[in-house]
Amino acid sequence: MAATLASDRSSPRPPRRLRFAVPAARLARSLSRRLAHRDGAVIGGRVCLAVDPDAVAHLLVQHPTTVFVSATNGKTTTTALLTAAIERLMPVATNTTGANLPSGIVTALMDAEPGTTAVLEVDERYLPGVVAVATNPVALLLNLSRDQLDRMAEVRSIALRWRDAFAHDTTRVIANADDPLVAYAAPPERTVWVAAASRWRMDALSCPACTARVQYDGDDWYCTQCDLRRPKPDVTFTDTDVVLASGRRLALPTTLPGTHSRANAAFALAALELLGLPVDGASDAMATVTDVDGRYQHLWATDDASRLYLGKNPAGWAEILDVLAPVDRPLVIAVNGNDADGHDLSWLWDVPFERLAGRPVVATGERMRDLAVRLRYADVEHTAEPNLTRALAWARTARADVVGTYTAFQQIKRELRRDA
Amino acid sequence: MTLDSAVRIIALAPDLLGTYGDAGNVTVLAQRLRWRGFPTEVVEGIGRDVPDSGDIYVLGGGEDGPQALAAREMIESGALPRAVERGAVIFGVCAGYQLLGCSFLDTDDNVHAGLGLLDCTTVRGTGPRNVGEVVANIGTLLPGHVLSGFENHGGVTTVGGGATPLATIVAGNGNGDGSHTEGAWSGRVVGTYLHGPVLARNPDLADLLLEWVVGPSAPLADADATAEALRAERIQAAGGSRRRA
């Protein structure tokens, strides 16, 4: 390891720092695990970054192949699918628990063997920073949509920052052709376009390049004023199959529900092909991913259709409602308004909850009342249950699906583990 | 009743002014009418194609570029000044509020003409964006009513002599020009910085706008008990940000 780092003369700080930073981080993580019973992923990374502020760059340089997955929705799932597909061939360094800030990336890399392939999900805001310091990076750009309304600079400014970053580097990109914000951000000459069939369009009705209206016409879209329009997709998929850029047709894994899960798998297969790795057998490997850090896990029995979903913004909910719509199963919805959820829950009014009318619904979570008012105006009969434990007990009896916002979802996972 | 007698709500430029869940204001107005048995029709007013037949016109929040485009198109359409003359109700939130005024500034300090339907002007604030819960006491428009909502804007709005501030700030920033006021109104034109959506949080304000169209209606006690619980929770939560006023 030391030899690799010593050759890295271009880095702004001596990589020697990293040799102190990593052991310090491991100690912090170990203490966090033993004393606080936390997973230590964040504290370890923070300590490492405190000792070596350039730890992300110093660690990334040890990995000749790096894939970054960034988006508002689908980062963790796509990272898990791609990791499963590559792990059948070779070891992978990855951050599977969604720790996607620099501290989480450092934690994922500090134990990895130099030379391993890295597959990392990255928060949208940090993507430009990590592609800039990686060797030969590949970036998967899935979507950009409103999320944490009070905290996020509007999504359009993130699209602009991505575009600026890719304009000046050599990153190879796999991008969603159906999201105008992503299409605007990706460098056309270095991009493989995936027709991802995204349902949510409200954040890209106004052109990211010129603010004129974007016209949607079936699957196609184009700006009514400038020349931004839907790129011709290189990768397309159906409910069962994907056709890759090479023309290869493969079966898609069907373990995870919904069109968005097919899209995530299509992105992962496109990444494999771009990396020059064999795609045969990849779908079977991805089919072993039955849940992603709790997302989509079967709640009450494996032969039961009920699952746990992360529903944190309107784009995600659009996909979830589509999965839930065909069967009127009971549903528990847990809404919180903490920092990671966003304090402004106005986005609940962008979710067509009207589609839930007719099924038994329980509203819970710390911001249950925001949801209760929304459901009332959607004419969805529901019960408000302030106590999450009781709401989940009802869910168990009713064999209900459960959907939570980011921190509510984490609370639900803890409750379920405690019961298990 | 025929369709012609339906109350017609126009959702203005939902494609440009729809960033902060403000479409919910249209949902709230339409549902409250339907629950009371009024035939109701919601029509989108896109681009220069704004119907002249609306009873209530609703504008939401949006970002700078789309806001400037929406203002240009609405000025060219001319439908809103005609609507005001007919006595129609105009309700604008955040960017929608700003563009009902005389002028507003974008992030590059370009001055944009507003519709001039409210006597107010907006410039960019010099401090951080105003983000958080707001509590404000509504003045003469709905005396005794406490307004609850969530603001997220960088604008500073000064209300001129031809309009009246909607409310006096208790917590949060609102207009942010040092007057401790929030929003503005004049005749049947009402503007506010508050999301939430604001009409879901404040059914009394929703009913005032509706009363201007269909006359006084019975309260919706059952539905509004849920809203009242939310209001109480949010007004209490805003206590922590009281210093910012």
Side-chain angles (χ1 to χ4, degrees):
Chain A
M1 184 188 275
T4 314
L5 288 173
S7 67
D8 179 25
R9 290 176 197 283
S10 61
S11 57
R13 284 173 194 272
R16 188 185 302 129
R17 281 175 174 266
L18 191 63
R19 278 181 275 163
F20 296 103
V22 169
R26 286 188 183 135
L27 179 65
R29 183 177 57 187
S30 154
L31 288 173
S32 165
R33 282 177 183 165
R34 268 190 238 157
L35 302 178
H37 304 287
R38 311 289 286 262
D39 79 351
V42 173
I43 186 74
R46 281 194 186 149
V47 167
C48 193
L49 283 165
V51 179
D52 179 4
D54 294 318
V56 173
H58 290 151
L59 287 163
L60 277 172
V61 83
Q62 303 176 5
H63 300 274
T65 304
T66 48
V67 182
F68 299 107
V69 182
S70 202
T72 315
N73 299 81
K75 291 186 288 285
T76 308
T77 300
T78 305
T79 300
L81 292 172
L82 180 57
T83 298
I86 299 179
E87 262 179 347
R88 83 193 201 283
L89 307 166
M90 60 184 85
V92 176
T94 187
N95 49 348
T96 45
T97 58
N100 58 26
L101 302 179
S103 55
I105 290 167
V106 163
T107 304
L109 294 179
M110 70 188 192
D111 293 326
E113 281 296 316
T116 48
T117 297
V119 178
L120 299 162
E121 76 158 275
V122 184
D123 183 280
E124 307 85 281
R125 290 163 293 180
Y126 291 99
L127 181 67
V130 294
V131 293
V133 295
T135 321
N136 196 21
V138 172
L140 274 54
L141 313 179
L142 312 181
N143 82 327
L144 284 173
S145 75
R146 66 188 65 179
D147 191 69
Q148 300 179 19
L149 289 183
D150 52 305
R151 272 186 67 210
M152 292 296 268
E154 290 103 344
V155 288
R156 302 163 71 89
S157 69
I158 294 183
L160 188 61
R161 276 151 68 187
W162 282 9
R163 182 180 169 90
D164 286 348
F166 296 128
H168 302 108
D169 74 359
T170 56
T171 305
R172 290 175 294 164
V173 172
I174 302 174
N176 183 350
D178 290 338
D179 183 339
L181 290 164
V182 169
Y184 172 67
E189 68 285 2
R190 283 178 275 125
T191 296
V192 173
W193 297 104
V194 179
S198 315
R199 279 182 177 74
W200 174 255
R201 290 174 166 175
M202 281 296 290
D203 290 310
L205 296 176
S206 159
C207 176
C210 75
T211 75
R213 283 192 167 67
V214 173
Q215 186 71 43
Y216 289 87
D217 185 4
D219 292 336
D220 195 18
W221 60 263
Y222 54 91
C223 175
T224 50
Q225 192 161 304
C226 74
D227 55 8
L228 188 70
R229 59 179 308 131
R230 185 188 193 225
K232 187 177 173 300
D234 303 297
V235 178
T236 57
F237 64 92
T238 64
D239 280 348
T240 54
D241 291 350
V242 61
V243 178
L244 295 174
S246 61
R248 283 286 305 275
R249 177 181 285 272
L250 294 164
L252 279 172
T254 54
T255 321
L256 303 181
T259 306
H260 61 295
S261 295
R262 310 278 173 277
N264 292 337
F267 267 98
L269 289 166
L272 277 187
E273 184 168 75
L274 185 70
L275 293 170
L277 296 172
V279 292
D280 290 312
S283 288
D284 290 341
M286 291 196 285
T288 62
V289 177
T290 53
D291 77 81
V292 180
D293 202 28
R295 295 163 185 77
Y296 313 112
Q297 67 171 285
H298 286 286
L299 283 167
W300 319 120
T302 48
D303 59 347
D304 192 299
S306 305
R307 293 177 189 260
L308 174 62
Y309 296 89
L310 171 64
K312 59 176 186 168
N313 59 31
W317 264 102
E319 305 293 339
I320 291 168
L321 282 174
D322 223 60
V323 175
L324 296 183
V327 188
D328 270 351
R329 274 196 304 278
L331 178 65
V332 170
I333 307 172
V335 174
N336 285 357
N338 298 309
D339 285 351
D341 308 292
H343 299 277
D344 181 4
L345 298 185
S346 304
W347 61 267
L348 290 170
W349 294 76
D350 293 324
V351 179
F353 285 116
E354 286 79 2
R355 294 181 73 181
L356 298 175
R359 77 179 71 200
V361 174
V362 167
T364 186
E366 295 153 14
R367 295 290 294 274
M368 163 195 90
R369 292 184 179 90
D370 286 84
L371 177 64
V373 171
R374 171 68 188 102
L375 291 176
R376 186 162 267 286
Y377 278 99
D379 283 330
V380 176
E381 294 279 338
H382 63 277
T383 308
E385 171 53 73
N387 184 295
L388 181 64
T389 308
R390 280 200 294 272
L392 289 175
W394 178 85
R396 180 183 294 278
T397 311
R399 299 269 159 169
D401 290 299
V402 179
V403 188
T405 60
Y406 190 80
T407 67
F409 177 84
Q410 306 301 339
Q411 289 167 354
I412 292 163
K413 285 199 302 179
R414 281 199 290 277
E415 291 267 339
L416 294 172
R417 272 201 301 272
R418 209 182 53 200
D419 290 354
Chain B
M1 267 186 189
T2 64
L3 198 63
D4 283 325
S5 63
V7 178
R8 194 162 290 154
I9 302 171
I10 313 294
L12 278 168
D15 51 343
L16 298 175
L17 302 174
T19 307
Y20 293 101
D22 298 319
N25 290 322
V26 173
T27 306
V28 167
L29 291 170
Q31 268 294 36
R32 296 181 79 80
L33 286 166
R34 289 187 193 118
W35 284 337
R36 287 167 168 142
F38 293 101
T40 302
E41 195 187 5
V42 174
V43 181
E44 293 190 341
I46 306 252
R48 293 164 190 82
D49 189 17
V50 179
D52 269 319
S53 56
D55 296 298
I56 308 179
Y57 294 78
V58 182
L59 300 84
E63 297 157 54
D64 286 344
Q67 176 190 19
L69 175 60
R72 277 202 306 279
E73 289 180 343
M74 283 180 205
I75 289 169
E76 284 167 23
S77 127
L80 285 189
R82 290 195 296 274
V84 170
E85 262 179 49
R86 280 190 288 112
V89 178
I90 318 282
F91 182 65
V93 171
C94 201
Y97 164 39
Q98 293 176 352
L99 67 79
L100 288 176
C102 302
S103 66
F104 58 92
L105 254 63
D106 64 21
T107 35
D108 301 323
D109 281 342
N110 300 311
V111 182
H112 296 269
L115 286 155
L117 300 175
L118 276 176
D119 181 11
C120 61
T121 52
T122 300
V123 296
R124 304 230 43 103
T126 48
R129 275 177 87 82
N130 302 310
V131 182
E133 292 286 345
V134 175
V135 178
N137 293 319
I138 298 191
T140 47
L141 199 60
L142 266 178
H145 182 88
V146 177
L147 188 67
S148 165
F150 195 99
E151 65 180 334
N152 186 349
H153 62 98
V156 168
T157 299
T158 302
V159 181
T164 311
L166 176 63
T168 307
I169 287 287
V170 177
N173 286 276
N175 290 330
D177 66 335
S179 66
H180 299 285
T181 63
E182 150 51 31
W185 69 280
S186 170
R188 292 180 172 181
V189 183
V190 180
T192 173
Y193 268 114
L194 305 191
H195 308 287
V198 68
L199 296 183
R201 292 259 196 112
N202 301 277
D204 291 353
L205 182 57
D207 281 354
L208 176 71
L209 304 182
L210 295 175
E211 188 182 319
W212 286 340
V213 179
V214 297
S217 302
L220 296 165
D222 192 32
D224 291 346
T226 317
E228 195 45 54
L230 171 63
R231 285 171 55 77
E233 174 199 295
R234 291 294 92 207
I235 289 169
Q236 196 186 7
S241 54
R242 207 165 280 247
R243 279 177 296 111
R244 299 190 307 124

